[in-house]
């Protein structure tokens, strides 16, 4: 309303923020246009370069995000801007470049590296495929006096533990993280045990019962509505075979958060949740258009979690019995850079590798079946005893295929 009365620089900053952040007038493309104009007016404007990097990153335009982070770092050469460049290098799968830049930051300012970027070596290790190294670095933060570093360390260590089939360790760490958050006045609910029951233990009824109890406790009610992890809960109910509970919460989201649901990103998220619920209701053909809508918002912004979107598409096609399309989307999951997959890997990597092995096996493709079965067995070689029968079963099938091949 009053933007035209401001000087051009300030007007562009206000309008950029409006179209980037407003719940109803959100328009990322227009925000990017405005921030580009702001750079012309003020080439060293760190807000413009930072927001352009973030907006491009949200669209998975990682090369462009790297370009703007580098612009920002050249304008303000300090460890805080340089670590953003290092993170962007991981996103474009330049692990060596990210490592070299981090090392130079550590030499230049060891205090910043320890306090503000102490977990970056874990991100580098994970991006390089070194899960054990990533977990080892994360575990050095478990006793950190800094709550932020400790929380991030717990999250990373828990994620890697679950990825490698060490469910009990992952669940224990998740409980520690939630307890720490509660002690800081941030109410949360631990979901890892329920997720493990659904994805790995084959105990969906137990997961539903536990989830019902969790949502009935005060901890859930104490979480502000706008911060409640509705997406996680609704998708978990659906994948546990409880579509009625999932639909009840979907209606609650629409009722309590109408402005958020109406944004392009909100519409995309609701489409994904609708797909999950339709799958649970045994209607994969109806779920398919919803899952496709979840790939990209109407403003062109792709799903924030590319691995999650690929996993959902694979689940829909698998339910439809379309093996070729299922394989395509499972491979799309694996094609997502490791730097973006630490969270999704914790619940989907083992399932993805095993299912790809099974699908190639069913097609008589012994080479690819053995490759993916082998990836699964290697991933879960140190899995908890309760999961070892699955590993043994896959090993036996691999031995049979190898005998068949002579």
């Amino acid at each position: 309303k009053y933007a035209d009365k401001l000087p051009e620089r300030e007007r562009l900053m206000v309008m950029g923020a409006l179209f980037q952040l407003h719940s109803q007038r959100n328009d990322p493309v227009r925000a990017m246009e405005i921030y580009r104009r702001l750079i012309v007016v003020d080439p060293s404007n760190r807000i413009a370069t930072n927001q352009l990097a973030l907006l491009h990153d949200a669209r998975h335009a990682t090369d462009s995000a790297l370009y703007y982070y580098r612009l920002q770092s050249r304008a303000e050469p300090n460890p805080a801007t340089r670590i953003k460049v290092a993170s962007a290098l991981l996103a474009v799968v330049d692990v060596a470049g990210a490592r070299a830049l981090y090392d130079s930051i550590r030499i230049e300012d060891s205090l910043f590296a320890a306090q503000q970027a102490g977990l970056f070596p874990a991100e580098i290790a994970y991006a390089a495929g070194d899960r054990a190294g990533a977990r080892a670095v994360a575990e050095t933060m478990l006793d950190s006096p800094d709550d932020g570093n400790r929380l991030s360390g717990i999250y990373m260590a828990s994620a890697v533990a679950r990825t490698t089939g060490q469910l009990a360790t992952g669940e224990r760490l998740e409980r520690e993280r939630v307890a720490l958050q509660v002690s800081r006045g941030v109410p949360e609910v631990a979901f890892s045990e329920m997720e493990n029951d659904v994805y790995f233990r084959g105990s969906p009824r137990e997961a539903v019962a536990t989830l019902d109890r969790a949502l009935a406790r005060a901890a859930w009610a104490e979480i502000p509505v706008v911060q409640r992890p509705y997406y996680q809960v609704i998708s978990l109910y659906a994948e546990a075979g409880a579509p009625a509970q999932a639909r009840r919460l979907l209606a609650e989201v629409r009722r309590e958060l109408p402005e958020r649901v109406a944004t392009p990103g909100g519409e995309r998220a609701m489409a994904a949740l609708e797909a999950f619920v339709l799958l649970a209701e045994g209607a994969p053909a109806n779920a398919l258009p919803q899952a496709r809508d979840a790939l990209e918002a109407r403003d062109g912004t792709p799903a924030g979690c590319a691995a999650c979107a690929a996993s959902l598409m694979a689940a829909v096609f698998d339910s439809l019995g379309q093996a070729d399309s299922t394989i395509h989307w499972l491979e799309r999951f694996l094609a997502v850079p490791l730097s973006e997959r630490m969270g999704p890997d914790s619940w989907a990597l083992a399932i993805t590798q095993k299912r790809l092995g099974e699908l190639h096996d069913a097609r008589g493709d012994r080479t690819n079946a053995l490759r993916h079965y082998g990836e699964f067995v290697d991933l879960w070689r140190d899995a908890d005893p309760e999961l070892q029968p699955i590993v043994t079963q896959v090993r036996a099938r691999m031995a049979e295929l190898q005998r068949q091949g002579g």
Side-chain angles (χ1 to χ4, degrees), residues 138-146 149-150 154 176:
E139 287 177 344
T140 65
M141 294 290 172
L142 298 186
D143 296 319
S144 171
D146 180 85
N149 281 337
R150 186 179 171 196
I154 291 172
E176 287 183 19

Side-chain angles (χ1 to χ4, degrees), residues 131-214:
R131 284 182 286 269
R135 181 173 170 182
V137 174
E139 287 177 344
T140 65
M141 294 290 172
L142 298 186
D143 296 319
S144 171
D146 180 85
D147 284 350
N149 281 337
R150 186 179 171 196
L151 286 166
S152 295
I154 291 172
Y155 168 78
M156 289 185 181
S158 174
V160 177
R162 293 177 65 201
T163 300
T164 54
Q166 295 169 19
L167 307 186
T169 298
E171 290 168 2
R172 174 180 58 77
L173 289 168
E174 174 70 357
R175 288 193 295 271
E176 287 183 19
R177 187 189 66 79
V178 170
L180 177 56
Q181 286 287 66
V182 170
S183 72
R184 301 170 69 233
V186 182
E188 285 197 20
V189 176
F191 292 103
S192 60
E193 183 176 350
M194 301 169 237
E195 292 172 343
N196 291 340
D197 282 344
V198 173
Y199 302 133
F200 306 125
R201 296 190 177 108
S203 304
R205 289 185 180 179
E206 287 82 348
V208 171
T210 306
L211 195 50
D212 285 343
R213 290 193 296 272

Side-chain angles (χ1 to χ4, degrees), residues 207-401:
V208 171
T210 306
L211 195 50
D212 285 343
R213 290 193 296 272
L215 267 61
R217 294 192 184 108
W220 175 261
E222 290 170 358
I223 302 174
V225 173
V226 295
Q227 296 175 15
R228 288 178 187 169
Y230 280 113
Y231 190 99
Q232 188 175 10
V233 174
I234 293 169
S235 59
L236 186 54
Y237 264 133
E239 293 188 276
Q245 288 97 317
R247 284 219 172 273
R248 175 178 58 79
L249 285 172
L250 264 177
E252 183 177 316
V253 172
R254 292 189 174 100
R255 183 178 65 251
E256 298 291 338
L257 300 169
E259 288 189 357
R260 179 171 294 184
V261 168
T263 65
E267 291 174 353
R268 186 185 60 220
M270 295 301 283
L273 291 174
E274 185 67 29
F276 277 116
V277 177
L278 286 165
L279 281 177
E281 292 172 340
N286 294 332
L288 182 55
Q290 297 290 335
R292 283 184 172 140
D293 285 347
L295 290 172
E296 185 176 282
R298 56 182 158 84
D299 64 1
T301 304
C305 176
C308 305
S311 183
L312 175 57
M313 288 292 291
V316 173
F317 280 115
D318 210 3
S319 294
L320 288 167
Q322 298 185 22
D324 287 347
S325 294
T326 304
I327 290 171
H328 168 79
W329 284 101
L330 290 175
E331 294 287 2
R332 285 277 294 268
F333 174 93
L334 295 177
V336 174
L338 285 169
S339 62
E340 299 176 22
R341 266 192 17 218
M342 185 179 291
D345 276 358
S346 70
W347 51 265
L349 181 57
I351 294 170
T352 295
Q353 295 289 12
K354 183 172 180 287
R355 188 61 183 139
L356 278 168
E358 293 165 348
L359 289 166
H360 286 298
D361 195 351
R363 293 156 60 106
D365 185 344
R366 192 174 63 87
T367 299
N368 278 316
L370 283 170
R371 177 165 64 90
H372 289 291
Y373 281 150
E375 292 285 352
F376 168 77
V377 166
D378 183 62
L379 187 66
W380 272 16
R381 65 181 181 274
D382 297 319
D384 290 346
E386 65 177 317
L387 300 180
Q388 286 302 325
I390 304 173
V391 179
T392 299
Q393 183 183 38
V394 174
R395 285 186 194 276
R397 181 55 186 160
M398 289 178 68
E400 187 177 348
L401 287 172

